[in-house]
C-alpha cells in the first residue's frame, strides 16, 4: 500500500478581450482537453520538480519537459519558479494544487467504478481527512490493516492543520472519509457515520512541577497552558473542552498555542506549564522521565472519534471494504488498549 501525504489539459486557448483589454479565458469543453496531462499536472504540483514528477508518472525527462511546456502555454503561466536552487509554485499553481486533487480523485473513482472489488488486486486510492491526534491513536494499526488486506491499495492522508471544512457534506463528496469528533454540522441529511473509538482527557505536566498528583480546578486556573489548535482571543465554547472550561472561575492563561496535538508535550517539558490532551496521545510520552500524566479534574466529557462519509458511497463495494478496514483497525487498537467494546453504526440525523 502506498501512502501519499496530501491522468491533460492542453487545448488551443480560447480568449476574449474584456472591457479593460485584458485576456479572459472561456471555459474549455472536455472534448478539447488532453486529459492525460492531468496526471502529470498533479504530480508536478506535488513534487515541485519535473524530474521527480516524470518518475512518478513513468515518462522520460523529454516527455515531462514537453508536458510542462504545454501546461505553461495552456495556463499562460510558469507554474514552477526557480528560487535559490529549488522550485516554488507560482500563485496560479497554488490555486491549481488545491483543485487538481479532488478532480483527479473524482476521475479515478469514476473510471475505477465496478460492480466487483478485489482488495488483493485493486490499486484504488482512498482519501482520508483527519487530525494528527487520530493518526497517533490508530494510524499505524490502520496502515497494517489495509496493507495486509489490500497491499496495492493506496491511501492519501490529509492532516487538518487548523479547522475542519465548514461544509462537510460537499467535502465528503470528493473524499472517502473524515475522522473527527461529532459536530452539529456533520449531522445533516446525506452524511453517514460510524463511531470508531473513545478516549478521555488527561493532564500533562513536567516531572518537577510541584503540583499535586491529584489536580484540582484551581490548578488549571493557576498554571499556564499549552493548547493545540487554539484560535487567538479565547477558548471557543464549541470546543471539545467547552464544558470543562465553563467550570473554571477564570479563563486559562494560554502560554503556548501550537497547531499540532503531537507537538504539545514538547512545550510542557522543563516548564511550569500544563496541557490537557488525549490519553491515547499522552501515553506515547508516558515513558519519559521528565513528564507526568495526571487525571484531569472537573469531569471533562469523553472524546468520541467518528468516521464520516457521504451517503453516495454507502453501497460502493470498495468503499464498504475500506470502512470495514478502518473499523477493524480501531477495534484492534481498543483491544490492545484494554478497552474492547461493541460497535455499531449510527446514522446522521435526517
Amino acid at each position: 500500500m502506498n501512502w501519499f501525504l496530501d491522468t491533460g489539459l492542453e487545448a488551443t486557448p480560447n480568449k476574449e478581450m474584456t472591457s479593460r483589454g485584458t485576456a479572459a479565458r472561456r471555459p474549455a469543453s472536455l472534448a478539447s482537453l488532453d486529459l492525460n496531462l492531468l496526471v502529470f499536472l498533479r504530480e508536478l504540483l506535488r513534487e515541485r520538480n519535473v524530474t521527480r514528477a516524470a518518475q512518478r508518472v513513468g515518462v522520460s525527462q523529454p516527455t515531462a519537459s514537453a508536458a510542462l511546456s504545454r501546461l505553461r502555454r495552456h495556463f499562460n503561466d510558469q507554474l514552477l519558479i526557480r528560487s535559490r536552487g529549488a522550485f516554488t509554485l507560482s500563485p496560479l499553481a497554488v490555486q491549481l494544487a488545491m483543485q487538481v486533487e479532488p478532480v483527479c480523485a473524482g476521475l479515478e473513482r469514476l473510471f475505477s467504478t465496478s460492480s466487483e472489488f478485489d482488495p488483493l488486486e485493486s490499486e484504488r486510492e482512498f482519501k482520508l481527512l483527519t487530525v494528527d491526534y487520530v493518526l497517533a491513536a490508530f494510524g499505524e494499526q490502520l496502515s497494517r490493516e489495509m496493507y495486509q488486506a489490500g497491499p496495492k491499495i493506496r491511501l492519501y492522508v490529509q492532516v487538518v492543520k487548523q479547522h475542519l471544512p465548514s461544509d462537510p457534506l460537499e467535502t465528503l463528496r470528493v473524499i472517502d472519509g473524515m475522522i473527527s469528533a461529532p459536530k452539529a454540522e456533520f449531522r445533516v441529511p446525506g452524511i453517514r457515520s460510524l463511531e470508531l473509538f473513545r478516549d478521555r482527557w488527561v493532564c500533562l505536566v513536567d516531572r518537577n512541577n510541584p503540583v499535586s498528583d491529584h489536580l484540582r480546578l484551581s490548578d488549571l486556573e493557576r498554571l499556564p497552558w499549552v493548547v493545540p489548535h487554539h484560535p487567538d482571543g479565547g477558548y471557543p465554547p464549541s470546543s471539545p473542552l467547552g464544558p470543562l472550561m465553563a467550570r473554571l472561575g477564570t479563563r486559562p492563561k494560554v502560554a503556548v498555542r501550537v497547531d499540532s496535538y503531537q507537538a504539545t508535550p514538547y512545550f510542557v517539558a522543563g516548564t511550569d506549564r500544563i496541557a490537557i490532551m488525549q490519553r491515547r496521545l499522552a501515553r506515547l510520552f508516558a515513558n519519559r522521565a521528565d513528564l507526568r500524566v495526571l487525571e484531569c479534574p472537573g469531569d471533562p466529557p469523553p472524546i468520541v472519534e467518528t468516521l464520516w462519509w457521504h451517503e453516495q458511497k454507502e453501497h460502493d463495494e470498495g468503499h464498504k471494504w475500506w470502512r470495514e478496514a478502518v473499523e477493524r483497525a480501531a477495534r484492534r487498537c481498543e483491544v490492545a488498549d484494554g478497552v474492547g467494546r461493541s460497535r455499531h453504526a449510527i446514522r446522521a440525523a435526517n
Side-chain angles (χ1 to χ4, degrees):
M1 180 185 67
N2 298 317
W3 284 64
F4 295 99
L5 291 177
D6 215 271
T7 278
L9 218 34
E10 178 69 356
T12 301
N14 295 318
K15 296 182 180 179
E16 60 184 4
M17 301 303 293
T18 67
S19 59
R20 295 185 180 182
T22 58
R25 186 184 302 278
R26 292 180 184 145
S29 67
L30 285 176
S32 67
L33 300 178
D34 177 4
L35 295 180
N36 289 316
L37 275 177
L38 193 58
V39 175
F40 180 74
L41 176 63
R42 178 176 64 175
E43 300 305 330
L44 180 72
L45 298 178
R46 283 177 173 177
E47 298 293 338
R48 304 185 183 189
N49 182 283
V50 178
T51 300
R52 291 199 297 269
Q55 294 171 346
R56 291 289 299 270
V57 177
V59 298
S60 65
Q61 180 74 29
T63 300
S65 298
L68 175 59
S69 297
R70 294 172 66 189
L71 289 168
R72 283 173 167 170
R73 288 197 303 271
H74 177 82
F75 290 109
N76 192 27
D77 187 270
Q78 287 297 302
L79 301 181
L80 292 183
I81 302 173
R82 183 177 290 277
S83 174
R84 297 179 181 180
F87 285 99
T88 60
L89 299 182
S90 71
L92 176 62
V94 172
Q95 296 182 46
L96 294 175
M98 292 187 292
Q99 298 179 49
V100 72
E101 294 290 352
V103 170
C104 288
L107 287 173
E108 287 173 344
R109 285 194 297 270
L110 175 66
F111 287 100
S112 65
T113 301
S114 172
S115 59
E116 298 180 354
F117 178 78
D118 183 355
L120 294 177
E121 297 298 329
S122 175
E123 298 182 8
R124 179 170 170 175
E125 180 178 83
F126 293 94
K127 183 175 181 180
L128 173 65
L129 179 66
T130 191
V131 296
D132 62 339
Y133 151 64
V134 170
L135 296 182
F138 93 127
E140 182 177 350
Q141 187 61 52
L142 176 60
S143 173
R144 293 175 180 272
E145 189 68 40
M146 291 185 62
Y147 179 77
Q148 292 171 2
K152 299 179 182 179
I153 290 176
R154 298 174 293 152
L155 182 63
Y156 170 32
V157 180
Q158 185 175 356
V159 180
V160 178
K161 295 298 179 63
Q162 292 182 337
H163 304 291
L164 291 168
S166 58
D167 190 344
L169 183 63
E170 289 305 311
T171 300
L172 290 171
R173 289 184 189 275
V174 297
I175 68 174
D176 292 286
M178 188 185 313
I179 299 177
S180 79
K183 296 179 180 294
E185 53 266 36
F186 285 86
R187 300 195 179 281
V188 298
I191 295 182
R192 299 291 178 259
S193 61
L194 173 72
E195 183 180 314
L196 292 179
F197 63 87
R198 295 196 172 203
D199 203 349
R200 73 175 191 270
W201 298 102
V202 296
C203 293
L204 193 70
V205 297
D206 183 78
R207 174 65 64 181
N208 296 321
N209 193 316
V211 70
S212 168
D213 286 345
H214 302 285
L215 289 172
R216 297 174 295 180
L217 288 176
S218 59
D219 295 316
L220 300 184
E221 296 172 347
R222 176 176 55 84
L223 296 172
W225 282 39
V226 178
V227 183
H229 301 286
H230 174 69
D232 195 12
Y235 211 98
S238 61
S239 71
L241 283 175
L244 175 62
M245 298 301 101
R247 297 189 183 100
L248 299 181
T250 182
R251 178 179 295 177
K253 296 180 293 185
V254 178
V256 178
R257 295 185 297 123
V258 58
D259 288 338
S260 169
Y261 287 108
Q262 296 190 52
T264 303
Y266 302 113
F267 297 93
V268 172
T271 75
D272 64 345
R273 301 169 187 151
I274 189 171
I276 296 182
M277 60 191 308
Q278 304 89 340
R279 186 185 64 88
R280 289 173 183 247
L281 180 56
R283 71 181 182 183
L284 299 179
F285 301 88
N287 61 347
R288 286 184 50 161
D290 56 345
L291 293 173
R292 283 190 292 161
V293 179
L294 308 176
E295 292 298 322
C296 185
D299 192 26
I303 302 167
V304 181
E305 294 298 336
T306 302
L307 173 66
W308 309 88
W309 68 92
H310 199 284
E311 66 177 3
Q312 292 178 346
K313 303 176 176 68
E314 185 79 8
H315 303 295
D316 178 333
E317 289 299 318
H319 196 273
K320 181 180 178 181
W321 173 89
W322 180 71
R323 297 196 305 267
E324 292 173 349
V326 174
E327 182 183 11
R328 286 195 303 272
R331 186 188 304 121
R332 291 186 179 182
C333 281
E334 286 202 333
V335 171
D337 193 40
V339 178
R341 61 186 180 81
S342 61
R343 166 93 69 269
H344 62 276
I346 52 174
R347 289 192 177 274
N350 291 322

